[in-house]
Amino acid sequence: MISIQHIIGYLFLVGLLPAHAVVHQHQFVIKEAPYSKLCSSKNILTVNGQFPGPVLYANRGDTLVVNVQNDGSQNITIHWHGVKQPRYPWSDGPEFVNQCPIRPGTNFSQESLRRGRNPMVACS
């Protein structure tokens, strides 16, 4: 007969096993949309029609792949706040400094391996 101590011990050991890494695929479509605030309107860039853009969640060891389609009228770049990218320094920063811009009508795919502790990723 299995005792409660065996069940607790088993659950504890299972909790110590490493989780399997997952690849998270995201599609970002960047578009201009009208925005009104305090009786003033202007066009802003949105991600999949959202402003601010979506928050991405990943666990340590997971890989994020973000495919960006620029349907706006200006050059853009994408970079991550609080995420170290030691293997991809050329694709994380301002245009013409660290990376080439994503020109209107083109796309860009960025891959990032999550090594840090923070499971939340913010994008700008």
Side-chain angles (χ1 to χ4, degrees), residues 48-91:
N48 299 337
Q50 295 178 270
F51 179 78
V55 176
L56 307 180
Y57 294 93
N59 293 310
R60 187 176 185 175
D62 288 356
T63 300
L64 289 171
V65 178
V66 179
N67 300 304
V68 181
Q69 174 65 39
N70 184 3
D71 288 346
S73 62
Q74 302 175 25
N75 291 341
I76 62 169
T77 61
I78 188 168
H79 66 275
W80 309 98
H81 293 238
V83 178
K84 294 180 182 179
Q85 298 208 33
R87 293 187 180 142
Y88 305 99
W90 55 87
S91 62

Side-chain angles (χ1 to χ4, degrees), residues 34 40-41 46 59 65-66 79 110 117 122:
S40 175
S41 284
T46 62
N59 293 310
V65 178
V66 179
H79 66 275
Q110 186 173 32
R117 295 182 203 173

Side-chain angles (χ1 to χ4, degrees), residues 22-36:
V22 177
V23 175
H24 302 272
Q25 296 271 350
H26 298 278
Q27 181 71 31
F28 285 2
V29 178
I30 310 300
K31 291 184 183 180
E32 293 180 14
Y35 178 76
S36 297

